[in-house]
mmCIF file with all atom_site columns, all heavy atoms in Angstrom:
data_model
loop_
_atom_site.group_PDB
_atom_site.id
_atom_site.type_symbol
_atom_site.label_atom_id
_atom_site.label_alt_id
_atom_site.label_comp_id
_atom_site.label_asym_id
_atom_site.label_entity_id
_atom_site.label_seq_id
_atom_site.pdbx_PDB_ins_code
_atom_site.Cartn_x
_atom_site.Cartn_y
_atom_site.Cartn_z
_atom_site.occupancy
_atom_site.B_iso_or_equiv
_atom_site.pdbx_formal_charge
_atom_site.auth_seq_id
_atom_site.auth_comp_id
_atom_site.auth_asym_id
_atom_site.auth_atom_id
_atom_site.pdbx_PDB_model_num
ATOM 1   N N   . ARG A 1 1  ? 95.233  90.827  94.865  1.00 91.00 ? 1  ARG A N   1
ATOM 2   C CA  . ARG A 1 1  ? 95.544  92.018  94.082  1.00 91.00 ? 1  ARG A CA  1
ATOM 3   C C   . ARG A 1 1  ? 96.240  93.071  94.952  1.00 91.00 ? 1  ARG A C   1
ATOM 4   O O   . ARG A 1 1  ? 95.812  93.358  96.068  1.00 91.00 ? 1  ARG A O   1
ATOM 5   C CB  . ARG A 1 1  ? 94.278  92.608  93.487  1.00 91.00 ? 1  ARG A CB  1
ATOM 6   C CG  . ARG A 1 1  ? 94.543  93.632  92.390  1.00 91.00 ? 1  ARG A CG  1
ATOM 7   C CD  . ARG A 1 1  ? 93.283  93.945  91.623  1.00 91.00 ? 1  ARG A CD  1
ATOM 8   N NE  . ARG A 1 1  ? 93.568  94.836  90.512  1.00 91.00 ? 1  ARG A NE  1
ATOM 9   C CZ  . ARG A 1 1  ? 92.644  95.254  89.650  1.00 91.00 ? 1  ARG A CZ  1
ATOM 10  N NH1 . ARG A 1 1  ? 91.388  94.859  89.786  1.00 91.00 ? 1  ARG A NH1 1
ATOM 11  N NH2 . ARG A 1 1  ? 92.974  96.052  88.662  1.00 91.00 ? 1  ARG A NH2 1
ATOM 12  N N   . ALA A 1 2  ? 97.322  93.655  94.411  1.00 90.00 ? 2  ALA A N   1
ATOM 13  C CA  . ALA A 1 2  ? 98.116  94.635  95.156  1.00 90.00 ? 2  ALA A CA  1
ATOM 14  C C   . ALA A 1 2  ? 97.833  96.046  94.651  1.00 90.00 ? 2  ALA A C   1
ATOM 15  O O   . ALA A 1 2  ? 97.224  96.246  93.595  1.00 90.00 ? 2  ALA A O   1
ATOM 16  C CB  . ALA A 1 2  ? 99.606  94.321  95.006  1.00 90.00 ? 2  ALA A CB  1
ATOM 17  N N   . ALA A 1 3  ? 98.308  97.021  95.410  1.00 87.00 ? 3  ALA A N   1
ATOM 18  C CA  . ALA A 1 3  ? 98.073  98.421  95.037  1.00 87.00 ? 3  ALA A CA  1
ATOM 19  C C   . ALA A 1 3  ? 98.658  98.747  93.676  1.00 87.00 ? 3  ALA A C   1
ATOM 20  O O   . ALA A 1 3  ? 98.124  99.574  92.933  1.00 87.00 ? 3  ALA A O   1
ATOM 21  C CB  . ALA A 1 3  ? 98.656  99.343  96.103  1.00 87.00 ? 3  ALA A CB  1
ATOM 22  N N   . GLU A 1 4  ? 99.765  98.100  93.314  1.00 83.00 ? 4  GLU A N   1
ATOM 23  C CA  . GLU A 1 4  ? 100.408 98.363  92.030  1.00 83.00 ? 4  GLU A CA  1
ATOM 24  C C   . GLU A 1 4  ? 99.567  97.873  90.855  1.00 83.00 ? 4  GLU A C   1
ATOM 25  O O   . GLU A 1 4  ? 99.824  98.245  89.706  1.00 83.00 ? 4  GLU A O   1
ATOM 26  C CB  . GLU A 1 4  ? 101.780 97.696  91.988  1.00 83.00 ? 4  GLU A CB  1
ATOM 27  C CG  . GLU A 1 4  ? 102.823 98.325  92.888  1.00 83.00 ? 4  GLU A CG  1
ATOM 28  C CD  . GLU A 1 4  ? 102.663 97.930  94.346  1.00 83.00 ? 4  GLU A CD  1
ATOM 29  O OE1 . GLU A 1 4  ? 101.835 97.033  94.643  1.00 83.00 ? 4  GLU A OE1 1
ATOM 30  O OE2 . GLU A 1 4  ? 103.366 98.505  95.186  1.00 83.00 ? 4  GLU A OE2 1
ATOM 31  N N   . ASP A 1 5  ? 98.553  97.046  91.130  1.00 81.00 ? 5  ASP A N   1
ATOM 32  C CA  . ASP A 1 5  ? 97.704  96.494  90.072  1.00 81.00 ? 5  ASP A CA  1
ATOM 33  C C   . ASP A 1 5  ? 96.463  97.334  89.826  1.00 81.00 ? 5  ASP A C   1
ATOM 34  O O   . ASP A 1 5  ? 95.624  96.980  89.007  1.00 81.00 ? 5  ASP A O   1
ATOM 35  C CB  . ASP A 1 5  ? 97.256  95.069  90.442  1.00 81.00 ? 5  ASP A CB  1
ATOM 36  C CG  . ASP A 1 5  ? 98.412  94.178  90.858  1.00 81.00 ? 5  ASP A CG  1
ATOM 37  O OD1 . ASP A 1 5  ? 99.541  94.439  90.414  1.00 81.00 ? 5  ASP A OD1 1
ATOM 38  O OD2 . ASP A 1 5  ? 98.178  93.228  91.627  1.00 81.00 ? 5  ASP A OD2 1
ATOM 39  N N   . VAL A 1 6  ? 96.319  98.439  90.556  1.00 80.00 ? 6  VAL A N   1
ATOM 40  C CA  . VAL A 1 6  ? 95.107  99.255  90.483  1.00 80.00 ? 6  VAL A CA  1
ATOM 41  C C   . VAL A 1 6  ? 95.475  100.652 89.994  1.00 80.00 ? 6  VAL A C   1
ATOM 42  O O   . VAL A 1 6  ? 96.375  101.289 90.545  1.00 80.00 ? 6  VAL A O   1
ATOM 43  C CB  . VAL A 1 6  ? 94.423  99.352  91.868  1.00 80.00 ? 6  VAL A CB  1
ATOM 44  C CG1 . VAL A 1 6  ? 93.164  100.215 91.770  1.00 80.00 ? 6  VAL A CG1 1
ATOM 45  C CG2 . VAL A 1 6  ? 94.087  97.971  92.390  1.00 80.00 ? 6  VAL A CG2 1
ATOM 46  N N   . ALA A 1 7  ? 94.795  101.113 88.947  1.00 72.00 ? 7  ALA A N   1
ATOM 47  C CA  . ALA A 1 7  ? 95.106  102.430 88.395  1.00 72.00 ? 7  ALA A CA  1
ATOM 48  C C   . ALA A 1 7  ? 94.610  103.557 89.291  1.00 72.00 ? 7  ALA A C   1
ATOM 49  O O   . ALA A 1 7  ? 95.235  104.598 89.398  1.00 72.00 ? 7  ALA A O   1
ATOM 50  C CB  . ALA A 1 7  ? 94.493  102.559 87.001  1.00 72.00 ? 7  ALA A CB  1
ATOM 51  N N   . GLY A 1 8  ? 93.478  103.345 89.978  1.00 76.00 ? 8  GLY A N   1
ATOM 52  C CA  . GLY A 1 8  ? 92.924  104.379 90.843  1.00 76.00 ? 8  GLY A CA  1
ATOM 53  C C   . GLY A 1 8  ? 93.204  104.107 92.311  1.00 76.00 ? 8  GLY A C   1
ATOM 54  O O   . GLY A 1 8  ? 94.261  103.586 92.691  1.00 76.00 ? 8  GLY A O   1
ATOM 55  N N   . GLU A 1 9  ? 92.217  104.420 93.157  1.00 83.00 ? 9  GLU A N   1
ATOM 56  C CA  . GLU A 1 9  ? 92.366  104.230 94.596  1.00 83.00 ? 9  GLU A CA  1
ATOM 57  C C   . GLU A 1 9  ? 92.336  102.747 94.948  1.00 83.00 ? 9  GLU A C   1
ATOM 58  O O   . GLU A 1 9  ? 91.541  101.975 94.413  1.00 83.00 ? 9  GLU A O   1
ATOM 59  C CB  . GLU A 1 9  ? 91.241  104.954 95.331  1.00 83.00 ? 9  GLU A CB  1
ATOM 60  C CG  . GLU A 1 9  ? 91.290  104.818 96.837  1.00 83.00 ? 9  GLU A CG  1
ATOM 61  C CD  . GLU A 1 9  ? 90.127  105.492 97.521  1.00 83.00 ? 9  GLU A CD  1
ATOM 62  O OE1 . GLU A 1 9  ? 89.291  106.093 96.798  1.00 83.00 ? 9  GLU A OE1 1
ATOM 63  O OE2 . GLU A 1 9  ? 90.031  105.411 98.765  1.00 83.00 ? 9  GLU A OE2 1
ATOM 64  N N   . TYR A 1 10 ? 93.209  102.342 95.842  1.00 86.00 ? 10 TYR A N   1
ATOM 65  C CA  . TYR A 1 10 ? 93.247  100.949 96.311  1.00 86.00 ? 10 TYR A CA  1
ATOM 66  C C   . TYR A 1 10 ? 92.272  100.830 97.485  1.00 86.00 ? 10 TYR A C   1
ATOM 67  O O   . TYR A 1 10 ? 92.520  101.348 98.573  1.00 86.00 ? 10 TYR A O   1
ATOM 68  C CB  . TYR A 1 10 ? 94.666  100.587 96.745  1.00 86.00 ? 10 TYR A CB  1
ATOM 69  C CG  . TYR A 1 10 ? 94.869  99.122  97.069  1.00 86.00 ? 10 TYR A CG  1
ATOM 70  C CD1 . TYR A 1 10 ? 94.811  98.163  96.060  1.00 86.00 ? 10 TYR A CD1 1
ATOM 71  C CD2 . TYR A 1 10 ? 95.119  98.703  98.370  1.00 86.00 ? 10 TYR A CD2 1
ATOM 72  C CE1 . TYR A 1 10 ? 95.015  96.822  96.338  1.00 86.00 ? 10 TYR A CE1 1
ATOM 73  C CE2 . TYR A 1 10 ? 95.319  97.366  98.665  1.00 86.00 ? 10 TYR A CE2 1
ATOM 74  C CZ  . TYR A 1 10 ? 95.268  96.431  97.643  1.00 86.00 ? 10 TYR A CZ  1
ATOM 75  O OH  . TYR A 1 10 ? 95.470  95.092  97.918  1.00 86.00 ? 10 TYR A OH  1
ATOM 76  N N   . ALA A 1 11 ? 91.142  100.140 97.261  1.00 89.00 ? 11 ALA A N   1
ATOM 77  C CA  . ALA A 1 11 ? 90.038  100.154 98.219  1.00 89.00 ? 11 ALA A CA  1
ATOM 78  C C   . ALA A 1 11 ? 90.005  98.950  99.153  1.00 89.00 ? 11 ALA A C   1
ATOM 79  O O   . ALA A 1 11 ? 89.033  98.760  99.875  1.00 89.00 ? 11 ALA A O   1
ATOM 80  C CB  . ALA A 1 11 ? 88.715  100.252 97.460  1.00 89.00 ? 11 ALA A CB  1
ATOM 81  N N   . TYR A 1 12 ? 91.033  98.125  99.120  1.00 91.00 ? 12 TYR A N   1
ATOM 82  C CA  . TYR A 1 12 ? 91.033  96.920  99.956  1.00 91.00 ? 12 TYR A CA  1
ATOM 83  C C   . TYR A 1 12 ? 91.514  97.259  101.370 1.00 91.00 ? 12 TYR A C   1
ATOM 84  O O   . TYR A 1 12 ? 92.646  97.714  101.563 1.00 91.00 ? 12 TYR A O   1
ATOM 85  C CB  . TYR A 1 12 ? 91.917  95.844  99.340  1.00 91.00 ? 12 TYR A CB  1
ATOM 86  C CG  . TYR A 1 12 ? 91.404  95.368  97.992  1.00 91.00 ? 12 TYR A CG  1
ATOM 87  C CD1 . TYR A 1 12 ? 91.861  95.959  96.802  1.00 91.00 ? 12 TYR A CD1 1
ATOM 88  C CD2 . TYR A 1 12 ? 90.465  94.357  97.904  1.00 91.00 ? 12 TYR A CD2 1
ATOM 89  C CE1 . TYR A 1 12 ? 91.389  95.531  95.577  1.00 91.00 ? 12 TYR A CE1 1
ATOM 90  C CE2 . TYR A 1 12 ? 89.984  93.917  96.679  1.00 91.00 ? 12 TYR A CE2 1
ATOM 91  C CZ  . TYR A 1 12 ? 90.441  94.515  95.525  1.00 91.00 ? 12 TYR A CZ  1
ATOM 92  O OH  . TYR A 1 12 ? 89.966  94.089  94.309  1.00 91.00 ? 12 TYR A OH  1
ATOM 93  N N   . GLU A 1 13 ? 90.666  96.990  102.365 1.00 91.00 ? 13 GLU A N   1
ATOM 94  C CA  . GLU A 1 13 ? 91.019  97.315  103.744 1.00 91.00 ? 13 GLU A CA  1
ATOM 95  C C   . GLU A 1 13 ? 91.954  96.275  104.356 1.00 91.00 ? 13 GLU A C   1
ATOM 96  O O   . GLU A 1 13 ? 92.859  96.624  105.121 1.00 91.00 ? 13 GLU A O   1
ATOM 97  C CB  . GLU A 1 13 ? 89.743  97.423  104.594 1.00 91.00 ? 13 GLU A CB  1
ATOM 98  C CG  . GLU A 1 13 ? 88.835  98.574  104.181 1.00 91.00 ? 13 GLU A CG  1
ATOM 99  C CD  . GLU A 1 13 ? 87.592  98.650  105.056 1.00 91.00 ? 13 GLU A CD  1
ATOM 100 O OE1 . GLU A 1 13 ? 87.482  97.853  106.022 1.00 91.00 ? 13 GLU A OE1 1
ATOM 101 O OE2 . GLU A 1 13 ? 86.736  99.502  104.784 1.00 91.00 ? 13 GLU A OE2 1
ATOM 102 N N   . ARG A 1 14 ? 91.725  94.980  104.049 1.00 93.00 ? 14 ARG A N   1
ATOM 103 C CA  . ARG A 1 14 ? 92.526  93.909  104.642 1.00 93.00 ? 14 ARG A CA  1
ATOM 104 C C   . ARG A 1 14 ? 93.002  92.965  103.538 1.00 93.00 ? 14 ARG A C   1
ATOM 105 O O   . ARG A 1 14 ? 92.445  91.892  103.348 1.00 93.00 ? 14 ARG A O   1
ATOM 106 C CB  . ARG A 1 14 ? 91.717  93.130  105.683 1.00 93.00 ? 14 ARG A CB  1
ATOM 107 C CG  . ARG A 1 14 ? 91.232  93.987  106.840 1.00 93.00 ? 14 ARG A CG  1
ATOM 108 C CD  . ARG A 1 14 ? 90.561  93.147  107.895 1.00 93.00 ? 14 ARG A CD  1
ATOM 109 N NE  . ARG A 1 14 ? 89.973  93.970  108.936 1.00 93.00 ? 14 ARG A NE  1
ATOM 110 C CZ  . ARG A 1 14 ? 89.330  93.489  110.006 1.00 93.00 ? 14 ARG A CZ  1
ATOM 111 N NH1 . ARG A 1 14 ? 89.216  92.177  110.156 1.00 93.00 ? 14 ARG A NH1 1
ATOM 112 N NH2 . ARG A 1 14 ? 88.805  94.303  110.904 1.00 93.00 ? 14 ARG A NH2 1
ATOM 113 N N   . PRO A 1 15 ? 93.973  93.397  102.771 1.00 94.00 ? 15 PRO A N   1
ATOM 114 C CA  . PRO A 1 15 ? 94.456  92.517  101.692 1.00 94.00 ? 15 PRO A CA  1
ATOM 115 C C   . PRO A 1 15 ? 95.094  91.254  102.251 1.00 94.00 ? 15 PRO A C   1
ATOM 116 O O   . PRO A 1 15 ? 95.719  91.278  103.312 1.00 94.00 ? 15 PRO A O   1
ATOM 117 C CB  . PRO A 1 15 ? 95.478  93.393  100.957 1.00 94.00 ? 15 PRO A CB  1
ATOM 118 C CG  . PRO A 1 15 ? 95.904  94.412  101.964 1.00 94.00 ? 15 PRO A CG  1
ATOM 119 C CD  . PRO A 1 15 ? 94.726  94.660  102.843 1.00 94.00 ? 15 PRO A CD  1
ATOM 120 N N   . GLY A 1 16 ? 94.929  90.163  101.508 1.00 95.00 ? 16 GLY A N   1
ATOM 121 C CA  . GLY A 1 16 ? 95.556  88.915  101.905 1.00 95.00 ? 16 GLY A CA  1
ATOM 122 C C   . GLY A 1 16 ? 94.542  87.808  102.112 1.00 95.00 ? 16 GLY A C   1
ATOM 123 O O   . GLY A 1 16 ? 93.332  87.985  101.941 1.00 95.00 ? 16 GLY A O   1
ATOM 124 N N   . PHE A 1 17 ? 95.054  86.632  102.492 1.00 96.00 ? 17 PHE A N   1
ATOM 125 C CA  . PHE A 1 17 ? 94.235  85.444  102.727 1.00 96.00 ? 17 PHE A CA  1
ATOM 126 C C   . PHE A 1 17 ? 94.318  85.076  104.207 1.00 96.00 ? 17 PHE A C   1
ATOM 127 O O   . PHE A 1 17 ? 95.387  85.152  104.823 1.00 96.00 ? 17 PHE A O   1
ATOM 128 C CB  . PHE A 1 17 ? 94.727  84.279  101.862 1.00 96.00 ? 17 PHE A CB  1
ATOM 129 C CG  . PHE A 1 17 ? 94.651  84.567  100.374 1.00 96.00 ? 17 PHE A CG  1
ATOM 130 C CD1 . PHE A 1 17 ? 95.730  85.154  99.710  1.00 96.00 ? 17 PHE A CD1 1
ATOM 131 C CD2 . PHE A 1 17 ? 93.523  84.242  99.645  1.00 96.00 ? 17 PHE A CD2 1
ATOM 132 C CE1 . PHE A 1 17 ? 95.670  85.409  98.345  1.00 96.00 ? 17 PHE A CE1 1
ATOM 133 C CE2 . PHE A 1 17 ? 93.456  84.500  98.284  1.00 96.00 ? 17 PHE A CE2 1
ATOM 134 C CZ  . PHE A 1 17 ? 94.531  85.084  97.631  1.00 96.00 ? 17 PHE A CZ  1
ATOM 135 N N   . PHE A 1 18 ? 93.175  84.643  104.762 1.00 97.00 ? 18 PHE A N   1
ATOM 136 C CA  . PHE A 1 18 ? 93.087  84.367  106.194 1.00 97.00 ? 18 PHE A CA  1
ATOM 137 C C   . PHE A 1 18 ? 92.479  82.982  106.417 1.00 97.00 ? 18 PHE A C   1
ATOM 138 O O   . PHE A 1 18 ? 91.796  82.433  105.548 1.00 97.00 ? 18 PHE A O   1
ATOM 139 C CB  . PHE A 1 18 ? 92.226  85.438  106.876 1.00 97.00 ? 18 PHE A CB  1
ATOM 140 C CG  . PHE A 1 18 ? 92.777  86.832  106.729 1.00 97.00 ? 18 PHE A CG  1
ATOM 141 C CD1 . PHE A 1 18 ? 92.575  87.563  105.557 1.00 97.00 ? 18 PHE A CD1 1
ATOM 142 C CD2 . PHE A 1 18 ? 93.511  87.412  107.749 1.00 97.00 ? 18 PHE A CD2 1
ATOM 143 C CE1 . PHE A 1 18 ? 93.088  88.845  105.416 1.00 97.00 ? 18 PHE A CE1 1
ATOM 144 C CE2 . PHE A 1 18 ? 94.023  88.697  107.617 1.00 97.00 ? 18 PHE A CE2 1
ATOM 145 C CZ  . PHE A 1 18 ? 93.816  89.417  106.445 1.00 97.00 ? 18 PHE A CZ  1
ATOM 146 N N   . SER A 1 19 ? 92.697  82.463  107.632 1.00 96.00 ? 19 SER A N   1
ATOM 147 C CA  . SER A 1 19 ? 92.132  81.165  107.977 1.00 96.00 ? 19 SER A CA  1
ATOM 148 C C   . SER A 1 19 ? 90.804  81.295  108.702 1.00 96.00 ? 19 SER A C   1
ATOM 149 O O   . SER A 1 19 ? 90.148  80.272  108.984 1.00 96.00 ? 19 SER A O   1
ATOM 150 C CB  . SER A 1 19 ? 93.117  80.382  108.865 1.00 96.00 ? 19 SER A CB  1
ATOM 151 O OG  . SER A 1 19 ? 93.331  81.061  110.105 1.00 96.00 ? 19 SER A OG  1
ATOM 152 N N   . ASP A 1 20 ? 90.377  82.517  108.999 1.00 96.00 ? 20 ASP A N   1
ATOM 153 C CA  . ASP A 1 20 ? 89.122  82.720  109.713 1.00 96.00 ? 20 ASP A CA  1
ATOM 154 C C   . ASP A 1 20 ? 88.310  83.804  109.045 1.00 96.00 ? 20 ASP A C   1
ATOM 155 O O   . ASP A 1 20 ? 88.842  84.693  108.362 1.00 96.00 ? 20 ASP A O   1
ATOM 156 C CB  . ASP A 1 20 ? 89.388  83.110  111.169 1.00 96.00 ? 20 ASP A CB  1
ATOM 157 C CG  . ASP A 1 20 ? 90.115  84.431  111.285 1.00 96.00 ? 20 ASP A CG  1
ATOM 158 O OD1 . ASP A 1 20 ? 91.184  84.587  110.639 1.00 96.00 ? 20 ASP A OD1 1
ATOM 159 O OD2 . ASP A 1 20 ? 89.608  85.333  111.977 1.00 96.00 ? 20 ASP A OD2 1
ATOM 160 N N   . ALA A 1 21 ? 86.983  83.735  109.265 1.00 94.00 ? 21 ALA A N   1
ATOM 161 C CA  . ALA A 1 21 ? 86.070  84.646  108.595 1.00 94.00 ? 21 ALA A CA  1
ATOM 162 C C   . ALA A 1 21 ? 86.170  86.063  109.114 1.00 94.00 ? 21 ALA A C   1
ATOM 163 O O   . ALA A 1 21 ? 85.721  87.005  108.447 1.00 94.00 ? 21 ALA A O   1
ATOM 164 C CB  . ALA A 1 21 ? 84.640  84.130  108.737 1.00 94.00 ? 21 ALA A CB  1
ATOM 165 N N   . LYS A 1 22 ? 86.732  86.271  110.294 1.00 94.00 ? 22 LYS A N   1
ATOM 166 C CA  . LYS A 1 22 ? 86.901  87.623  110.821 1.00 94.00 ? 22 LYS A CA  1
ATOM 167 C C   . LYS A 1 22 ? 88.174  88.288  110.313 1.00 94.00 ? 22 LYS A C   1
ATOM 168 O O   . LYS A 1 22 ? 88.469  89.428  110.657 1.00 94.00 ? 22 LYS A O   1
ATOM 169 C CB  . LYS A 1 22 ? 86.901  87.571  112.349 1.00 94.00 ? 22 LYS A CB  1
ATOM 170 C CG  . LYS A 1 22 ? 85.562  87.207  112.946 1.00 94.00 ? 22 LYS A CG  1
ATOM 171 C CD  . LYS A 1 22 ? 85.588  87.343  114.465 1.00 94.00 ? 22 LYS A CD  1
ATOM 172 C CE  . LYS A 1 22 ? 84.225  87.042  115.051 1.00 94.00 ? 22 LYS A CE  1
ATOM 173 N NZ  . LYS A 1 22 ? 84.211  87.210  116.536 1.00 94.00 ? 22 LYS A NZ  1
ATOM 174 N N   . LEU A 1 23 ? 88.926  87.572  109.518 1.00 94.00 ? 23 LEU A N   1
ATOM 175 C CA  . LEU A 1 23 ? 90.144  88.083  108.883 1.00 94.00 ? 23 LEU A CA  1
ATOM 176 C C   . LEU A 1 23 ? 91.149  88.582  109.930 1.00 94.00 ? 23 LEU A C   1
ATOM 177 O O   . LEU A 1 23 ? 91.702  89.672  109.822 1.00 94.00 ? 23 LEU A O   1
ATOM 178 C CB  . LEU A 1 23 ? 89.818  89.205  107.887 1.00 94.00 ? 23 LEU A CB  1
ATOM 179 C CG  . LEU A 1 23 ? 88.769  88.902  106.812 1.00 94.00 ? 23 LEU A CG  1
ATOM 180 C CD1 . LEU A 1 23 ? 88.662  90.064  105.831 1.00 94.00 ? 23 LEU A CD1 1
ATOM 181 C CD2 . LEU A 1 23 ? 89.041  87.608  106.084 1.00 94.00 ? 23 LEU A CD2 1
ATOM 182 N N   . THR A 1 24 ? 91.363  87.734  110.918 1.00 95.00 ? 24 THR A N   1
ATOM 183 C CA  . THR A 1 24 ? 92.335  88.084  111.961 1.00 95.00 ? 24 THR A CA  1
ATOM 184 C C   . THR A 1 24 ? 93.607  87.249  111.872 1.00 95.00 ? 24 THR A C   1
ATOM 185 O O   . THR A 1 24 ? 94.659  87.682  112.343 1.00 95.00 ? 24 THR A O   1
ATOM 186 C CB  . THR A 1 24 ? 91.710  87.899  113.356 1.00 95.00 ? 24 THR A CB  1
ATOM 187 O OG1 . THR A 1 24 ? 91.279  86.528  113.511 1.00 95.00 ? 24 THR A OG1 1
ATOM 188 C CG2 . THR A 1 24 ? 90.533  88.837  113.547 1.00 95.00 ? 24 THR A CG2 1
ATOM 189 N N   . ASN A 1 25 ? 93.508  86.079  111.275 1.00 96.00 ? 25 ASN A N   1
ATOM 190 C CA  . ASN A 1 25 ? 94.668  85.171  111.233 1.00 96.00 ? 25 ASN A CA  1
ATOM 191 C C   . ASN A 1 25 ? 95.143  85.032  109.784 1.00 96.00 ? 25 ASN A C   1
ATOM 192 O O   . ASN A 1 25 ? 94.644  84.195  109.025 1.00 96.00 ? 25 ASN A O   1
ATOM 193 C CB  . ASN A 1 25 ? 94.304  83.802  111.807 1.00 96.00 ? 25 ASN A CB  1
ATOM 194 C CG  . ASN A 1 25 ? 95.514  82.878  111.877 1.00 96.00 ? 25 ASN A CG  1
ATOM 195 O OD1 . ASN A 1 25 ? 96.657  83.328  111.977 1.00 96.00 ? 25 ASN A OD1 1
ATOM 196 N ND2 . ASN A 1 25 ? 95.257  81.581  111.803 1.00 96.00 ? 25 ASN A ND2 1
ATOM 197 N N   . LYS A 1 26 ? 96.071  85.903  109.397 1.00 96.00 ? 26 LYS A N   1
ATOM 198 C CA  . LYS A 1 26 ? 96.546  85.882  108.008 1.00 96.00 ? 26 LYS A CA  1
ATOM 199 C C   . LYS A 1 26 ? 97.442  84.671  107.775 1.00 96.00 ? 26 LYS A C   1
ATOM 200 O O   . LYS A 1 26 ? 98.345  84.379  108.566 1.00 96.00 ? 26 LYS A O   1
ATOM 201 C CB  . LYS A 1 26 ? 97.308  87.161  107.688 1.00 96.00 ? 26 LYS A CB  1
ATOM 202 C CG  . LYS A 1 26 ? 97.774  87.258  106.228 1.00 96.00 ? 26 LYS A CG  1
ATOM 203 C CD  . LYS A 1 26 ? 98.539  88.536  105.932 1.00 96.00 ? 26 LYS A CD  1
ATOM 204 C CE  . LYS A 1 26 ? 97.608  89.710  105.881 1.00 96.00 ? 26 LYS A CE  1
ATOM 205 N NZ  . LYS A 1 26 ? 98.312  90.939  105.415 1.00 96.00 ? 26 LYS A NZ  1
ATOM 206 N N   . VAL A 1 27 ? 97.187  83.964  106.685 1.00 96.00 ? 27 VAL A N   1
ATOM 207 C CA  . VAL A 1 27 ? 97.996  82.789  106.338 1.00 96.00 ? 27 VAL A CA  1
ATOM 208 C C   . VAL A 1 27 ? 98.788  83.017  105.050 1.00 96.00 ? 27 VAL A C   1
ATOM 209 O O   . VAL A 1 27 ? 99.601  82.171  104.668 1.00 96.00 ? 27 VAL A O   1
ATOM 210 C CB  . VAL A 1 27 ? 97.107  81.537  106.197 1.00 96.00 ? 27 VAL A CB  1
ATOM 211 C CG1 . VAL A 1 27 ? 96.507  81.150  107.553 1.00 96.00 ? 27 VAL A CG1 1
ATOM 212 C CG2 . VAL A 1 27 ? 96.000  81.762  105.165 1.00 96.00 ? 27 VAL A CG2 1
ATOM 213 N N   . SER A 1 28 ? 98.551  84.146  104.391 1.00 95.00 ? 28 SER A N   1
ATOM 214 C CA  . SER A 1 28 ? 99.300  84.432  103.161 1.00 95.00 ? 28 SER A CA  1
ATOM 215 C C   . SER A 1 28 ? 100.606 85.120  103.505 1.00 95.00 ? 28 SER A C   1
ATOM 216 O O   . SER A 1 28 ? 100.810 85.644  104.601 1.00 95.00 ? 28 SER A O   1
ATOM 217 C CB  . SER A 1 28 ? 98.460  85.309  102.227 1.00 95.00 ? 28 SER A CB  1
ATOM 218 O OG  . SER A 1 28 ? 98.080  86.512  102.878 1.00 95.00 ? 28 SER A OG  1
ATOM 219 N N   . THR A 1 29 ? 101.506 85.127  102.539 1.00 92.00 ? 29 THR A N   1
ATOM 220 C CA  . THR A 1 29 ? 102.803 85.759  102.720 1.00 92.00 ? 29 THR A CA  1
ATOM 221 C C   . THR A 1 29 ? 103.168 86.540  101.467 1.00 92.00 ? 29 THR A C   1
ATOM 222 O O   . THR A 1 29 ? 102.702 86.222  100.362 1.00 92.00 ? 29 THR A O   1
ATOM 223 C CB  . THR A 1 29 ? 103.889 84.709  102.998 1.00 92.00 ? 29 THR A CB  1
ATOM 224 O OG1 . THR A 1 29 ? 105.159 85.372  103.111 1.00 92.00 ? 29 THR A OG1 1
ATOM 225 C CG2 . THR A 1 29 ? 103.982 83.681  101.877 1.00 92.00 ? 29 THR A CG2 1
ATOM 226 N N   . MET A 1 30 ? 104.004 87.569  101.637 1.00 91.00 ? 30 MET A N   1
ATOM 227 C CA  . MET A 1 30 ? 104.527 88.317  100.494 1.00 91.00 ? 30 MET A CA  1
ATOM 228 C C   . MET A 1 30 ? 105.953 87.904  100.163 1.00 91.00 ? 30 MET A C   1
ATOM 229 O O   . MET A 1 30 ? 106.580 88.471  99.275  1.00 91.00 ? 30 MET A O   1
ATOM 230 C CB  . MET A 1 30 ? 104.472 89.821  100.778 1.00 91.00 ? 30 MET A CB  1
ATOM 231 C CG  . MET A 1 30 ? 103.060 90.349  100.926 1.00 91.00 ? 30 MET A CG  1
ATOM 232 S SD  . MET A 1 30 ? 102.985 92.133  101.266 1.00 91.00 ? 30 MET A SD  1
ATOM 233 C CE  . MET A 1 30 ? 103.533 92.787  99.688  1.00 91.00 ? 30 MET A CE  1
ATOM 234 N N   . ALA A 1 31 ? 106.451 86.923  100.897 1.00 90.00 ? 31 ALA A N   1
ATOM 235 C CA  . ALA A 1 31 ? 107.805 86.431  100.628 1.00 90.00 ? 31 ALA A CA  1
ATOM 236 C C   . ALA A 1 31 ? 107.821 85.601  99.356  1.00 90.00 ? 31 ALA A C   1
ATOM 237 O O   . ALA A 1 31 ? 106.832 84.952  98.998  1.00 90.00 ? 31 ALA A O   1
ATOM 238 C CB  . ALA A 1 31 ? 108.294 85.594  101.806 1.00 90.00 ? 31 ALA A CB  1
ATOM 239 N N   . ALA A 1 32 ? 108.938 85.656  98.648  1.00 85.00 ? 32 ALA A N   1
ATOM 240 C CA  . ALA A 1 32 ? 109.081 84.868  97.431  1.00 85.00 ? 32 ALA A CA  1
ATOM 241 C C   . ALA A 1 32 ? 109.026 83.385  97.765  1.00 85.00 ? 32 ALA A C   1
ATOM 242 O O   . ALA A 1 32 ? 109.505 82.942  98.810  1.00 85.00 ? 32 ALA A O   1
ATOM 243 C CB  . ALA A 1 32 ? 110.387 85.203  96.742  1.00 85.00 ? 32 ALA A CB  1
#
């Protein structure tokens, strides 16, 4: 979910998908 999908405050600190539980290695992309 992106900021444009939220009517109020966007509360996500680390948006995206990761390969590790510490959310340090992002594997998602915003490219088409």
Side-chain angles (χ1 to χ4, degrees):
R1 194 167 185 179
E4 290 78 9
D5 310 334
V6 180
E9 180 183 359
Y10 188 68
Y12 296 93
E13 295 181 4
R14 300 186 186 181
F17 299 90
F18 300 80
S19 63
D20 63 307
K22 291 187 177 182
L23 307 185
T24 58
N25 184 27
K26 183 180 287 188
V27 293
S28 57
T29 177
M30 295 180 70

